[in-house]
Amino acid sequence: MCGIVGYIGNRLAVPVLIDGLKRLEYRGYDSAGIAILEGDKIEVIKTKGKVSDLANMVEKKKFMANLGIAHTRWATHGEPNSINAHPHSDCSGDIVLVHNGIIENYLSLKKYLEEKGHTFKSDTDTEVLTHLIEENMKDCKSDSFTDVLFQSLAEVQGTYGLAIINKNYPDSLFIARKGSPILIGKGKDEYIVASDVAAVLRYTREIIYLEDGEIAEINRDGYHVLNSVNDEVQKKVQQISWNLEMIEKNGYDHFMLKEIHEQKNSLENTIRGRLNYEEGTARLDGLIDYIDDLKNAPRIVITACGTSWHAALIGEYLIEEFAGIPVEVEYASEFRYRSPIINEGDIVFVISQSGETADTLGALREAKRKGAIVLGICNVVGSTIARETDAGVYIHAGPEIGVASTKAFTSQVMVLIMIALMLGRMKNLPLERGRNIVNALREIPKLVEDVLKNDRKIKELAKILSNHNNALYLGRGYNFPVALEGALKLKEISYIHAEGYPAAEMKHGPIALIDEHMPTIVIATKDAIYEKIVSNVQEVKARGGTVISIINREDTKIRELSDEVIEVPHTITPLTPIVNVIPLQLLAYYVAIERGCNVDQPRNLAKSVTVE
Ligand code: F6R
């Protein structure tokens, strides 16, 4: 998704802006651009392709500016080229801006502005904003630029995170937000604005998040934030605990590989201080005000997208098993538009790594509109979803930069296990079972480390899998969502078509696909329905399929039936998803490497999807 960086201060703006864009590259983009106030002129430089290409173009020019904005674009309206890249300018070249989001009524605005004599250079929706502001400047009686911004943005339908410079306000940087995140990093006599905290961490960890409808004017010596009715608001400055090292590769070839290998630590961070062996339960302080509501909830709805939705499915199994509360899981994009029924007392959980996913945010707001208590499970502290939920639990996985989510997934599942355990212990889950679960949870980081150490076999299998165009992932019970997640990982980064299925569903259709060209990856660790999985593997083998199974070390039956196996250590069934997904993450990674794919920036994908 698009990325925004802006700078005002006493340093040279260009290196700060380029560094910020590089930190946002992981989000996915196709073109990049920069605008700086150089002397009394705004210089705009844009290019299709990489931030490094842009850096080469600007560095030659030795700009001295210390005010500027920059952008990485992920095309929505108009093809990826240097003309459609941001920043965009008005006719005079005095007002220049970068934009994340979508202006839905841009066609009618464009028509109106063309009739007024404005000339458009690009095919983007964004460019209408520059001309609209220019047009409104003509008639505006106030000499406050923020007044003009309020007036202009009131005419806009859609979403925006904006950073704007105006040649006639040479000591100010303006930002605005509706539906697309934008924040201010507060330094000493300098401010870095960005759509993502990763771009500012090098300079500061003091962050001010803008809310929807707010506009800010930032000078070197301070900032003013105005709310949607143009009143000044005092904003809380949030301290971010992430540091620069956490958002660097630290010797790994890719962020994804680094994050896969971080999972021992990230899982330790997720459970730290939250388990209580004596009581056989978990303590989640973020939910403390809603404990009674949770305990008495007639139903829990969990909504999310993508990998977070897979975690939600595991949450359904967990909460129903441990706590006996009915759970429904729904894609956030469906939930928000289909008049979902929320009855009195129902609790809605939203799960989001980034805390900025537009569909999940839409579902959150829909659930609140319907009167539900909405609780969050987020990674990014201070993100929009974290702020807008009534309460919630942070997963503490640390920054996830790789586009394909890995460590966030395992930490989300870990949090769901703790929620289910806590609820279960408040209801009917016996103390001894609670204690067993706590013990097993404490073991998990070690088991994960164990799997990570044994990746030689997975690398070998990746060579075989990389020659196929399709793959089927099968799992049952707690490991059905793991099959979905394994398939998603493979298709996202290696572009091999893969489907996840509940193993028993295979015979209701997908079995028709089985032949020697369709490898099947079966998650077959020991549990109560192990024998059923044995039958499913036999069904694949009987049709000439190749089977790669994830099995426990002590397994013999599936080992004999399978063509290849990946061994994982044993844990109690509800915790198996965390251990079993690790080899599937590694498999997807090494297959993508075999196929020469760009793992950290897979085609067409973006890290946090802030548009619908
Ligand atoms: C898959 C992936 C996506 C995200 C989805 C939700 O690897 O990363 O499917 O899980 O876009 O994102 P969050 O969790 O940030 O709401």
Side-chain angles (χ1 to χ4, degrees):
M1 284 284 110
C2 307
I4 290 177
V5 192
Y7 178 78
I8 184 163
N10 298 314
R11 302 175 201 241
L12 293 180
V14 166
V16 180
L17 296 171
I18 294 290
D19 176 67
L21 289 187
K22 285 188 175 154
R23 307 252 173 223
L24 299 184
E25 281 192 296
Y26 77 93
R27 301 171 63 90
Y29 69 103
D30 45 54
S31 51
I34 194 167
I36 38 157
L37 183 64
E38 184 72 7
D40 62 357
K41 186 163 180 272
I42 296 183
E43 299 275 358
V44 180
I45 296 172
K46 316 194 276 190
T47 182
K48 184 178 171 190
K50 294 286 160 199
V51 173
S52 52
D53 301 329
L54 180 71
N56 288 337
M57 291 162 78
V58 285
E59 274 156 16
K60 281 190 212 124
K61 306 220 172 199
K62 307 264 181 276
F63 288 122
M64 299 305 290
N66 42 36
L67 168 61
I69 53 178
H71 192 259
T72 44
R73 174 173 186 253
W74 189 79
T76 56
H77 296 65
E79 65 176 91
N81 59 30
S82 60
I83 294 172
N84 290 333
H86 301 208
H88 289 285
S89 318
D90 66 343
C91 296
S92 68
D94 289 356
I95 300 164
V96 179
L97 59 81
V98 292
H99 166 224
N100 287 359
I102 291 176
I103 306 303
E104 286 163 5
N105 59 338
Y106 84 103
L107 283 175
S108 57
L109 286 172
K110 188 169 179 178
K111 185 162 177 285
Y112 157 77
L113 289 160
E114 279 174 338
E115 279 163 14
K116 291 271 182 185
H118 292 263
T119 309
F120 283 77
K121 297 176 273 296
S122 76
D123 305 320
T124 64
D125 53 333
T126 298
E127 195 185 344
V128 296
L129 293 171
T130 61
H131 296 283
L132 184 63
I133 295 167
E134 180 181 37
E135 185 60 30
N136 286 334
M137 290 276 289
K138 288 185 200 158
D139 305 329
C140 189
K141 302 211 171 28
S142 156
D143 56 6
S144 152
F145 188 54
T146 52
D147 284 351
V148 179
L149 291 180
F150 271 115
Q151 187 192 335
S152 306
L153 294 176
E155 295 172 44
V156 162
Q157 285 158 19
T159 54
Y160 51 79
L162 288 171
I164 310 160
I165 51 178
N166 181 338
K167 197 187 95 175
N168 302 307
Y169 296 82
D171 296 313
S172 297
L173 170 59
F174 299 89
I175 59 173
R177 173 196 163 130
K178 188 179 153 208
S180 212
I182 189 107
L183 57 87
I184 307 170
K186 180 172 178 282
K188 196 173 170 316
D189 301 328
E190 64 177 359
Y191 295 88
I192 305 100
V193 304
S195 51
D196 181 325
V197 76
V200 311
L201 274 183
R202 179 165 183 181
Y203 309 95
T204 179
R205 291 204 235 155
E206 294 191 8
I207 308 293
I208 300 110
Y209 291 96
L210 249 58
E211 301 295 340
D212 276 355
E214 290 179 344
I215 290 178
E217 177 171 2
I218 306 157
N219 313 115
R220 284 175 186 80
D221 51 5
Y223 57 90
H224 300 279
V225 180
L226 304 163
N227 66 14
S228 55
V229 289
N230 209 343
D231 287 336
E232 182 149 359
V233 278
Q234 293 311 313
K235 300 290 289 184
K236 196 168 153 221
V237 180
Q238 306 227 20
Q239 288 287 339
I240 300 295
S241 60
W242 294 356
N243 59 41
L244 205 55
E245 199 179 300
M246 291 162 105
I247 58 165
E248 286 177 345
K249 283 193 211 149
N250 294 335
Y252 284 93
D253 288 342
H254 296 96
F255 281 111
M256 183 181 176
L257 188 63
K258 175 187 171 224
E259 287 157 8
I260 291 173
H261 279 273
E262 275 173 353
Q263 288 177 102
K264 173 184 181 279
N265 289 339
S266 53
L267 288 163
E268 277 166 356
N269 290 338
T270 307
I271 53 175
R272 177 160 300 120
R274 288 170 160 174
L275 296 178
N276 178 339
Y277 175 78
E278 278 309 302
E279 312 261 329
T281 190
R283 182 191 160 100
L284 297 163
D285 288 344
L287 299 181
I288 248 158
D289 292 341
Y290 292 92
I291 288 293
D292 287 338
D293 301 284
L294 273 165
K295 189 174 150 191
N296 299 321
R299 189 176 69 126
I300 290 176
V301 176
I302 316 180
T303 181
C305 306
T307 287
S308 298
W309 182 80
H310 296 156
L313 288 179
I314 298 169
E316 175 179 10
Y317 284 71
L318 287 162
I319 295 171
E320 292 197 346
E321 180 181 335
F322 291 6
I325 302 173
V327 178
E328 267 174 50
V329 175
E330 185 151 359
Y331 283 116
S333 53
E334 290 299 311
F335 180 91
R336 64 184 297 195
Y337 286 121
R338 70 155 188 93
S339 303
I341 293 166
I342 299 290
N343 293 316
E344 199 177 333
D346 286 353
I347 302 258
V348 175
F349 270 99
V350 291
I351 307 181
S352 174
Q353 185 285 128
S354 61
E356 303 294 349
T357 302
D359 285 322
T360 312
L361 189 56
L364 182 172
R365 289 176 179 162
E366 180 62 17
K368 279 192 127 179
R369 231 185 326 271
K370 292 199 142 63
I373 293 170
V374 186
L375 305 173
I377 299 175
C378 287
N379 191 31
V380 179
V381 174
S383 56
T384 309
I385 291 176
R387 295 199 307 277
E388 292 200 14
T389 39
D390 293 299
V393 186
Y394 283 119
I395 65 172
H396 297 313
E400 192 178 67
I401 309 285
V403 166
S405 186
T406 52
K407 63 176 181 170
F409 175 75
T410 46
S411 287
Q412 286 166 344
V413 174
M414 196 61 130
V415 162
L416 287 159
I417 295 169
M418 289 190 286
I419 291 173
L421 174 62
M422 183 187 78
L423 293 178
R425 290 289 297 125
M426 290 187 309
K427 302 191 101 175
N428 295 322
L429 195 79
L431 175 62
E432 267 324 295
R433 176 107 204 268
R435 285 182 171 168
N436 284 342
I437 294 167
V438 169
N439 274 340
L441 276 171
R442 286 192 174 138
E443 285 283 301
I444 287 287
K446 255 204 331 261
L447 303 187
V448 165
E449 187 182 30
D450 188 345
V451 181
L452 288 169
K453 276 191 195 143
N454 294 311
D455 68 349
R456 198 180 47 81
K457 176 78 186 183
I458 299 171
K459 278 187 195 162
E460 277 168 27
L461 294 177
K463 288 203 175 89
I464 303 171
L465 202 58
S466 65
N467 295 319
H468 289 81
N469 294 323
N470 296 288
L472 191 61
Y473 285 68
L474 302 178
R476 298 186 77 130
Y478 281 99
N479 286 296
F480 155 52
V482 177
L484 294 178
E485 178 59 8
L488 180 65
K489 288 291 90 91
L490 189 73
K491 61 187 146 197
E492 276 182 303
I493 57 167
S494 76
Y495 317 137
I496 293 177
H497 171 242
E499 294 297 333
Y501 263 93
E505 270 296 304
M506 183 189 57
K507 60 184 175 293
H508 298 289
I511 200 163
L513 297 169
I514 302 288
D515 64 13
E516 69 277 20
H517 304 298
M518 170 67 96
T520 303
I521 293 100
V522 187
I523 302 134
T525 44
K526 279 265 166 67
D527 60 19
I529 45 174
Y530 173 79
E531 291 301 332
K532 308 273 174 211
I533 270 273
V534 173
S535 310
N536 299 138
V537 171
Q538 271 159 341
E539 285 158 13
V540 178
K541 285 311 300 169
R543 283 154 187 88
T546 307
V547 174
I548 301 173
S549 298
I550 312 282
I551 57 165
N552 289 131
R553 289 201 176 118
E554 55 282 6
D555 183 283
T556 49
K557 264 193 204 165
I558 293 199
R559 187 188 295 275
E560 272 170 27
L561 285 172
S562 308
D563 297 276
E564 299 285 351
V565 295
I566 300 170
E567 294 177 348
V568 292
H570 181 268
T571 182
I572 58 171
T573 303
L575 274 51
T576 51
I578 300 182
V579 179
N580 293 349
V581 79
I582 308 283
L584 302 184
Q585 296 170 344
L586 285 169
L587 190 62
Y589 175 80
Y590 288 120
V591 169
I593 297 296
E594 282 294 325
R595 289 167 68 97
C597 301
N598 183 345
V599 173
D600 279 338
Q601 283 158 37
R603 72 179 179 214
N604 306 337
L605 292 181
K607 182 60 185 164
S608 77
V609 186
T610 51
V611 293
E612 277 191 56

